[in-house]
Amino acid sequence: MEFSFLFSQFLSGLTYGMILFLVASGLSLIFGVMNILNFAHATLWLIGAYFCYSFWYLMQGYNFALWVSIPLAGFACAAVGWVTEIVLIKHIYKRELHEQLLITYALALIFADLIKIVWGPTDRLIARPPAIQKPVFIFGAPFDSYFIFVILAGFAVALGLWWFLKYTRYGHIVKAAVFSREMVGALGIPIPKIYTWVFTLGIFIAGFAGGVQAPIGSVNLGMDIAIIIQAFCVVVIGGFGSLLGTLVGAIIVGEVFSFAILYWPAGAMVLIFVITAAILIIRPWGLFGTPMRT
């Protein structure tokens, strides 16, 4: 098999990994800080994709429509997340994880029905700008030019989150809350407000990820079910609350899936689950995570 083809497949795996990272990073951040296991996270990602379609539809006569619609989808989802945290999530902070899972699963079903009401059951398509409709050739092999944007967007979000957590005052507070919310509260920092903004930030990233995903194929109901399972695999492999772990876990899952499709298509998902189970057995808190807070 030619090197150019294998490299193209590697880039495809990296692209898929970046989509998973964008979905899983918000999920991991919310769980790491708030101990909230949000099953509705992927449905909010799907809402982001539909928001992106709506913004693009309103501006479709302009070449910049897609590039403006993607961040707008993130902000629109962040508004939904902010309301959701105030109305529902803040009331389940102290519930057991299985109760959180059931409540947020019900929330996912409610959001899915709202999607049907607002956008209908028909698939939605976004036309890409002319500049990214043609493939680029890397080592002689064709590669979707939009995938380059997806890879760059994933690494840009990873870099932005790393900078936020390492160099800003709010980032330091968030990191401190991961290890000891009691200590942060004792310093006079309002924990409920921190939780609200962390949840809103996580959902903003999910909405942005939905916008990035929207021009790849069609936007349709049910997309969220498949990706939430893989997003959980990513955070289990990398470790809940670990940004580096989420990035590494997403790349592992993306590459395993991409190359398994070539050699063992029927077992692509099986391999991901086997890796996830092995990590759970050997290191239950993930490759880069720490033992769960009790």
Side-chain angles (χ1 to χ4, degrees):
M1 195 169 288
E2 294 182 3
F3 170 77
S4 58
F5 178 77
L6 291 175
F7 189 71
S8 177
Q9 198 66 20
F10 168 78
L11 291 179
S12 296
L14 190 59
T15 304
Y16 190 54
M18 287 301 104
I19 292 288
L20 289 174
F21 167 74
L22 290 171
V23 178
S25 57
L27 182 70
S28 180
L29 179 68
I30 290 169
F31 183 84
V33 176
M34 304 166 63
N35 264 8
I36 292 290
L37 202 53
N38 182 18
F39 195 87
H41 193 82
T43 310
L44 286 158
W45 164 79
L46 180 58
I47 291 175
Y50 276 102
F51 271 134
C52 183
Y53 167 79
S54 295
F55 290 128
W56 169 84
Y57 185 81
L58 293 173
M59 299 183 287
Q60 59 181 309
Y62 302 96
N63 286 335
F64 59 78
L66 176 63
W67 310 120
V68 174
S69 300
I70 291 174
L72 283 180
F75 286 113
C77 261
V80 175
W82 181 74
V83 173
T84 303
E85 201 279 338
I86 291 175
V87 173
L88 175 67
I89 300 298
K90 68 185 299 181
H91 300 293
I92 64 172
Y93 287 157
K94 296 182 180 178
R95 297 291 189 96
E96 297 293 331
L97 288 181
H98 68 277
E99 292 180 309
Q100 294 176 4
L101 205 57
L102 286 174
I103 292 169
T104 54
Y105 179 66
L107 186 63
L109 296 177
I110 293 170
F111 280 142
D113 280 344
L114 288 175
I115 289 174
K116 287 180 188 174
I117 294 170
V118 176
W119 286 282
T122 309
D123 291 9
R124 305 292 178 173
L125 288 169
I126 293 179
R128 300 182 190 177
I132 56 169
Q133 288 182 356
K134 293 182 179 178
V136 295
F137 287 85
I138 301 176
F139 296 120
F143 186 67
D144 192 321
S145 53
Y146 181 71
F147 286 1
I148 295 174
F149 166 74
V150 175
I151 294 171
L152 293 176
F155 280 114
V157 169
L159 191 62
L161 280 174
W162 170 78
W163 175 84
F164 169 74
L165 294 172
K166 189 173 180 64
Y167 291 108
T168 68
R169 178 175 178 270
Y170 291 107
H172 293 165
I173 293 172
V174 168
K175 286 172 66 178
V178 170
F179 294 102
S180 176
R181 67 183 75 175
E182 292 79 12
M183 181 193 73
V184 174
L187 293 173
I189 298 171
I191 291 294
K193 285 187 178 179
I194 297 297
Y195 282 4
T196 300
W197 286 112
V198 166
F199 191 84
T200 303
L201 174 62
I203 302 305
F204 168 81
I205 299 171
F208 179 81
V212 170
Q213 170 68 37
I216 304 175
S218 63
V219 180
N220 56 73
L221 292 168
M223 290 170 58
D224 53 330
I225 301 300
I227 205 163
I228 188 62
I229 296 171
Q230 295 181 36
F232 274 120
C233 289
V234 166
V235 292
V236 167
I237 291 171
F240 275 98
S242 169
L243 177 63
L244 177 61
T246 305
L247 180 62
V248 172
I251 292 174
I252 290 173
V253 172
E255 294 297 345
V256 167
F257 188 80
S258 178
F259 281 96
I261 285 292
L262 279 181
Y263 299 103
W264 189 29
M269 282 305 301
V270 174
L271 278 177
I272 293 172
F273 293 141
V274 168
I275 292 171
T276 305
I279 294 293
L280 272 175
I281 294 170
I282 298 170
R283 193 175 166 85
W285 48 88
L287 295 176
F288 295 89
T290 54
M292 289 179 64
R293 185 175 55 206
T294 57

